[in-house]
Amino acid sequence: MAQEQAIDALGQFKLTTGLGGLGRVSEFTNSNEMMLLAAVIVVALFVVALRRRALVPGRLQGLAELTYEFVHQMVLDTIGPEGVRFFPFVFTLFAFILLGNVLGLFPYFFAFTSHIAITGALAVFVFLLSTAVGFWYHGIGFLKFFSPPGVPVWLLPLLIPIEVVSYASRPISLSVRLFANMTAGHVMWEVFAGFMLLLVASMGAVGAVASIIPLGLNVALAALEFLVAVLQAYVFAVLTCLYLHDAIHMH
Amino acid sequence: MHGDRGSFDQRLKAARRDAGLDDNEAASRATGDNALSLAMQLGAEMVAAVVVAVAIGYGLDKLFHTSPWFMVGFVPIGAAAGVLNLIRATGKMKD
């Protein structure tokens, strides 16, 4: 076993079917399973936590209210008072991505945000929505967004393509950021865990003692990954707010 | 009751701003924590613009059968847009 043992760091991102036989028939993947779980947890948390609306909140209600207030404040600060109408959208996005990231950290759980197809679809949706909001608020005048103010006219043929390309690159950087962060963390975990197996396989008892080092690294990584999971969900939500702000206020 | 709380929040925020509390907090948050994710983010910003520019150039070339001229034109534009993205991203961090 020692010879053919290679570290298969990307095997963990493979799609299989979920939900047993039903999944095999309907091509319901393990990724869909985790998305469903994330959505169910979010809804269940709010249903259970807000069932008794205590004036002095308990732990669960406190958690729900804290999350709500946090996102609400973020929407107010970033978009402004008129952005509150987008609060449900931003909150859904934030909660879904946060649950996806955090659930993906648990062993045997699939991290669906580590697939570019998922983050790409979310980012494209945000992009289309913010563009549509821009045209909804400003009509055809939203196109002025692409010509920066106070620039000589003869520079515009050069600057407008640059602005358009910069604008069109938003969904790519938005999706790649989330996807790369989640994938990199999971790959590092797998690689360090693979080091432990390799050490034990090749050096026996000495290797078992030495594998404390990668184990310690993995423990430290777990803390970092938890931070990254929350931070990336926050960054995705903040950037969504920022794009909506740009669409509503044109800078 | 809600109105009271809203005005209290506003007064609290104004007081915090006057005392310079929020600025410090924001600054330390932006510079302090995660250099790796910052580097990754800025790299993605730059590459994304070039990717989009190449895609636009390739598409227009396909459309008008002018290969490779649109691509040649759009790659420098993409590079410029990447730098623009970079400046915007770092400028936002400073604020």
Side-chain angles (χ1 to χ4, degrees):
Chain A
M1 186 182 170
Q3 269 73 40
E4 71 263 31
Q5 178 132 46
I7 301 172
D8 179 23
L10 295 176
Q12 57 180 324
F13 302 121
K14 230 169 250 146
L15 286 175
T16 58
T17 52
L19 292 187
L22 189 68
R24 272 194 294 283
V25 176
S26 57
E27 305 205 343
F28 193 86
T29 63
N30 49 351
S31 177
N32 296 132
E33 207 176 43
M34 292 308 296
M35 286 182 228
L36 196 63
L37 180 64
V40 167
I41 288 179
V42 174
V43 173
L45 170 70
F46 274 81
V47 168
V48 173
L50 300 183
R51 209 175 32 199
R52 10 188 320 255
R53 300 179 182 174
L55 191 59
V56 179
R59 249 175 243 156
L60 214 52
Q61 194 185 344
L63 179 69
E65 284 183 4
L66 208 67
T67 322
Y68 182 98
E69 294 271 320
F70 173 70
V71 179
H72 195 257
Q73 198 57 45
M74 176 170 83
V75 169
L76 272 183
D77 288 347
T78 319
I79 311 184
E82 63 277 38
V84 174
R85 64 169 62 179
F86 298 109
F87 166 72
F89 171 64
V90 176
F91 185 85
T92 311
L93 208 56
F94 174 74
F96 185 61
I97 294 173
L98 179 68
L99 258 291
N101 288 350
V102 172
L103 285 176
L105 296 180
F106 287 93
Y108 298 106
F109 279 38
F110 186 84
F112 65 78
T113 42
S114 65
H115 272 206
I116 187 82
I118 312 296
T119 60
L122 291 173
V124 165
F125 184 69
V126 167
F127 175 75
L128 292 180
L129 178 79
S130 64
T131 309
V133 165
F135 279 111
W136 177 263
Y137 270 77
H138 303 287
I140 204 75
F142 182 60
L143 290 176
K144 272 202 291 255
F145 183 76
F146 296 113
S147 70
V151 176
V153 178
W154 55 272
L155 263 181
L156 285 181
L158 185 61
L159 281 177
I160 288 175
I162 292 179
E163 288 283 343
V164 171
V165 168
S166 165
Y167 187 77
S169 70
R170 279 172 169 188
I172 296 185
S173 63
L174 188 61
S175 59
V176 166
R177 186 176 305 124
L178 177 60
F179 147 78
N181 272 291
M182 296 317 291
T183 306
H186 283 77
V187 166
M188 279 206 285
W189 254 343
E190 184 98 22
V191 167
F192 284 129
F195 281 166
M196 292 165 66
L197 291 180
L198 287 180
L199 275 171
V200 175
S202 60
M203 290 163 72
V206 183
V209 175
S211 66
I212 289 175
I213 298 169
L215 178 66
L217 273 173
N218 257 0
V219 171
L221 260 184
L224 178 69
E225 280 312 302
F226 197 75
L227 173 76
V228 167
V230 178
L231 195 70
Q232 287 306 315
Y234 171 72
V235 165
F236 201 99
V238 159
L239 284 174
T240 301
C241 290
L242 218 58
Y243 296 162
L244 287 170
H245 168 92
D246 280 356
I248 294 173
H249 299 285
M250 316 245 309
H251 291 289
Chain B
M1 188 178 155
H2 266 278
D4 282 356
R5 217 196 46 180
S7 82
F8 174 74
D9 279 350
Q10 274 170 4
R11 278 182 290 139
L12 181 64
K13 200 187 271 177
R16 287 181 69 91
R17 204 188 312 115
D18 291 343
L21 282 173
D22 285 339
D23 280 346
N24 289 339
E25 218 171 53
S28 70
R29 206 184 321 134
T31 55
D33 44 290
N34 214 328
L36 182 69
S37 85
L38 184 69
M40 197 122 71
Q41 181 197 335
L42 295 183
E45 292 285 0
M46 249 183 127
V47 174
V50 179
V51 168
V52 168
V54 166
I56 293 176
Y58 183 81
L60 288 179
D61 274 337
K62 269 263 150 122
L63 203 62
F64 300 117
H65 303 287
T66 52
S67 173
W69 297 110
F70 272 111
M71 180 112 71
V72 169
F74 264 97
V75 165
I77 287 175
V83 175
L84 182 69
N85 280 352
L86 212 61
I87 293 169
R88 288 217 175 114
T90 47
K92 250 163 222 150
M93 275 161 216
K94 247 182 271 161
D95 289 347

